[in-house]
Amino acid sequence: MNTLAEENYLKAIYKLSLAAGNVSTNQIAAELATKASSVTDMVRKLAEKALVNYTRYQGVSLTKAGEKVALNIIRRHRLWEYFLVEKLHFKWDEVHDMAEEMEHISLTELIDRLDAFMGHPTRDPHGDPIPDCDGNFKVSELKPVSSVEVNTAGVISGVRDHSASFLQYLERQQLTIGKHIIIKEVISYDNAVILEMENTQIQISRDVANNLLIAL
Amino acid sequence: MNTLAEENYLKAIYKLSLAAGNVSTNQIAAELATKASSVTDMVRKLAEKALVNYTRYQGVSLTKAGEKVALNIIRRHRLWEYFLVEKLHFKWDEVHDMAEEMEHISLTELIDRLDAFMGHPTRDPHGDPIPDCDGNFKVSELKPVSSVEVNTAGVISGVRDHSASFLQYLERQQLTIGKHIIIKEVISYDNAVILEMENTQIQISRDVANNLLIAL
DNA sequence: TTGTATTTTTAGACAAGTCTAAAAAAATAA
DNA sequence: TTATTTTTTTAGACTTGTCTAAAAATACAA
């Protein structure tokens, strides 16, 4: 098994890899609120365990094995988030930090039963896909509201920003997962977007439109 | 908050305190499968945090604060055990080690909601009482089968040995929590006990009778 | 292409928690 | 009461994961 610190590194590297290809020491340090020198040390250990590819000064990427571990951590995280919202009735902006703690419980049998108990959910409360026990999940074809044509209709299905403040804002506007919306207009001055939802018009900023994902 | 190691020491000291008064370094070392020298070091730290009373060569006892922390860990452990059995359908002999890992998740709000989700259970799957969030629990008046008179009737309500092998044995004999039994006879030769349960006679050894607790 | 700025790594140190071996204290036996 | 055994503590070392400060490599600008 891997230590808690190792798991956090693998998760961070996975997350950063989705954007860039090779991940730099500094990026990881920023993500984990630690120092680049600490990252160098840890990345060495992970390379020895064949969980990452690493050559000095060249950045890091996950090996197949490392990716599998990372996806397993993400699976655990998202299943616990689902549990916290669906069973314990926490709000979607409250569960991230709790799940961060619970994701390190790695008994396979426990996680599989938790999964079954909840009916094998495929998405967490923020719309992110939950990998199965082999790390497979269907890649979602979600688009930011800011990227679609006027008059497009879609269903709110995910967010790019997981911060509590963003989620709370969406909640207040009732822009929650599952809601049907139509993009009515983009204000050319500031790129604000006007949506129609349940026969009401809502205006959201460019920033919000960028972080709100819909399925068409 | 306390570290994982600190929590394990507090729990061990609490457990050992139930039998003896002051707990010795060696006892703690045995309980935690570590060395007496390590115990001395850790006990010093706990004393500095005012969680234990300690004077060199005199053994250790929990302070009020230390006891409260210990009871909180036990609360978490037993609530998770209940969850694993009642919701995830694990067997009572499978949950101890899993709960050992989960008990260190210490977010108060989460534990309280878990408690509510399960309907505020008062006993874990082995019949042990679950302390409330202030550490209070009702002391149970349970007696080992080996200690009661012939012809006494009672309800199986707890165990003193929590090992998987003992629990599996009881399960196989159907001697599970809630069953009504009558002590029919004690064999003078080896102190084996003959019980009646659901109109059937069952013989159990002195050892088993010693570790099986009933409410009268 | 040379010099400067930035990024990354190395070197050495520290805290937590553990260990072994040896010393000190307490308990037990003669 | 003195000697022996057992328990407990001390001293010093090791591992994991972190840090700071300095050195090395790379990237960027003129």
Side-chain angles (χ1 to χ4, degrees):
Chain A
M1 255 313 95
N2 307 298
T3 67
L4 201 147
E6 285 169 345
E7 289 203 344
N8 286 332
Y9 274 89
L10 290 171
K11 196 168 53 126
I13 295 166
Y14 179 84
K15 187 177 165 189
L16 295 167
S17 297
L18 295 178
N22 261 28
V23 179
S24 80
T25 307
N26 258 3
Q27 281 177 291
I28 299 169
E31 177 72 22
L32 293 174
T34 184
K35 298 292 142 105
S37 54
S38 309
V39 174
T40 302
D41 286 350
M42 179 55 93
V43 150
R44 275 239 178 68
K45 278 180 216 164
L46 293 172
E48 250 164 55
K49 286 187 155 195
L51 295 169
V52 301
N53 305 114
Y54 170 65
T55 13
R56 273 153 77 251
Y57 297 99
Q58 298 311 124
V60 190
S61 65
L62 293 177
T63 61
K64 266 267 157 283
E67 187 176 304
K68 202 167 169 193
V69 174
L71 284 167
N72 221 278
I73 300 164
I74 288 165
R75 166 174 164 77
R76 273 136 41 186
H77 182 100
R78 292 180 182 169
L79 282 172
W80 284 119
E81 282 200 346
Y82 189 92
F83 172 77
L84 291 169
V85 168
E86 293 301 318
K87 301 292 179 181
L88 302 193
H89 310 302
F90 281 100
K91 285 184 280 169
W92 72 340
D93 59 285
E94 299 176 313
V95 296
H96 182 79
D97 293 352
M98 288 186 227
E100 200 94 309
E101 216 168 303
M102 304 179 86
E103 73 192 4
H104 299 291
I105 294 167
S106 60
L107 302 149
T108 311
E109 179 66 14
L110 166 56
I111 297 302
D112 290 348
R113 292 229 195 168
L114 178 70
D115 186 24
F117 173 59
M118 303 187 297
H120 303 287
T122 57
R123 300 191 164 275
D124 78 10
H126 312 106
D128 295 311
I130 301 176
D132 70 18
C133 51
D134 300 314
N136 302 310
F137 61 95
K138 46 173 183 286
V139 195
S140 53
E141 285 299 326
L142 304 183
K143 282 188 172 355
V145 167
S146 57
S147 76
V148 300
E149 300 284 303
V150 164
N151 281 321
T152 310
V155 180
I156 298 180
S157 304
V159 292
R160 282 216 287 218
D161 178 355
H162 290 67
S163 71
S165 65
F166 182 59
L167 297 174
Q168 280 160 17
Y169 167 81
L170 292 180
E171 182 92 36
R172 205 160 53 243
Q173 305 297 312
Q174 310 209 46
L175 293 164
T176 50
I177 305 281
K179 290 287 180 68
H180 290 253
I181 60 173
I182 303 169
I183 286 74
K184 299 302 279 187
E185 193 186 339
V186 177
I187 311 287
S188 58
Y189 172 61
D190 61 358
N191 289 304
V193 177
I194 296 174
L195 309 171
E196 189 178 300
M197 179 174 73
E198 291 159 358
N199 299 312
T200 324
Q201 299 233 331
I202 300 177
Q203 189 184 123
I204 59 176
S205 69
R206 152 124 226 153
D207 257 21
V208 171
N210 239 320
N211 287 309
L212 187 62
L213 304 172
I214 58 173
L216 302 179
Chain B
M1 254 314 93
N2 307 298
T3 66
L4 201 147
E6 285 169 344
E7 290 204 342
N8 286 334
Y9 274 87
L10 291 171
K11 196 168 52 124
I13 295 166
Y14 178 85
K15 186 176 165 187
L16 295 167
S17 297
L18 294 179
N22 260 29
V23 179
S24 80
T25 306
N26 257 3
Q27 281 176 291
I28 300 169
E31 177 71 24
L32 293 173
T34 182
K35 297 293 144 103
S37 54
S38 309
V39 175
T40 302
D41 286 351
M42 179 56 93
V43 150
R44 276 241 177 66
K45 277 180 217 162
L46 294 173
E48 250 164 55
K49 285 187 156 196
L51 295 169
V52 302
N53 305 115
Y54 171 66
T55 15
R56 271 155 76 252
Y57 295 100
Q58 299 309 124
V60 191
S61 64
L62 293 177
T63 61
K64 267 268 158 281
E67 187 177 303
K68 201 168 169 191
V69 174
L71 284 167
N72 221 279
I73 300 164
I74 288 166
R75 167 174 164 75
R76 274 138 38 189
H77 182 98
R78 292 181 181 167
L79 282 172
W80 283 119
E81 281 200 347
Y82 189 92
F83 172 77
L84 292 169
V85 168
E86 293 301 318
K87 301 293 180 181
L88 301 193
H89 310 301
F90 282 101
K91 286 185 280 169
W92 71 340
D93 59 282
E94 298 176 313
V95 295
H96 182 80
D97 293 352
M98 286 186 227
E100 201 94 308
E101 216 168 304
M102 304 179 86
E103 73 192 4
H104 299 291
I105 294 166
S106 61
L107 301 150
T108 311
E109 179 68 13
L110 166 57
I111 297 303
D112 290 348
R113 292 229 194 168
L114 178 69
D115 187 23
F117 173 59
M118 303 188 296
H120 303 286
T122 57
R123 301 190 163 276
D124 78 9
H126 312 106
D128 296 311
I130 301 176
D132 70 18
C133 51
D134 300 314
N136 303 309
F137 61 94
K138 48 171 181 287
V139 195
S140 53
E141 286 300 324
L142 304 184
K143 282 186 174 347
V145 167
S146 57
S147 76
V148 299
E149 300 284 302
V150 162
N151 281 320
T152 309
V155 180
I156 298 180
S157 304
V159 293
R160 283 216 286 216
D161 178 354
H162 289 68
S163 70
S165 65
F166 182 59
L167 298 174
Q168 280 160 17
Y169 167 80
L170 292 180
E171 183 93 37
R172 205 161 52 243
Q173 306 296 314
Q174 311 210 46
L175 293 165
T176 49
I177 304 279
K179 290 288 180 69
H180 291 254
I181 60 171
I182 302 169
I183 285 74
K184 300 302 277 185
E185 193 186 339
V186 178
I187 311 288
S188 56
Y189 171 61
D190 61 356
N191 290 303
V193 177
I194 296 174
L195 309 171
E196 189 179 301
M197 180 174 73
E198 291 160 359
N199 300 313
T200 324
Q201 300 232 331
I202 300 176
Q203 189 183 125
I204 59 176
S205 70
R206 153 126 223 149
D207 256 22
V208 170
N210 240 319
N211 287 309
L212 187 60
L213 304 172
I214 58 171
L216 302 179

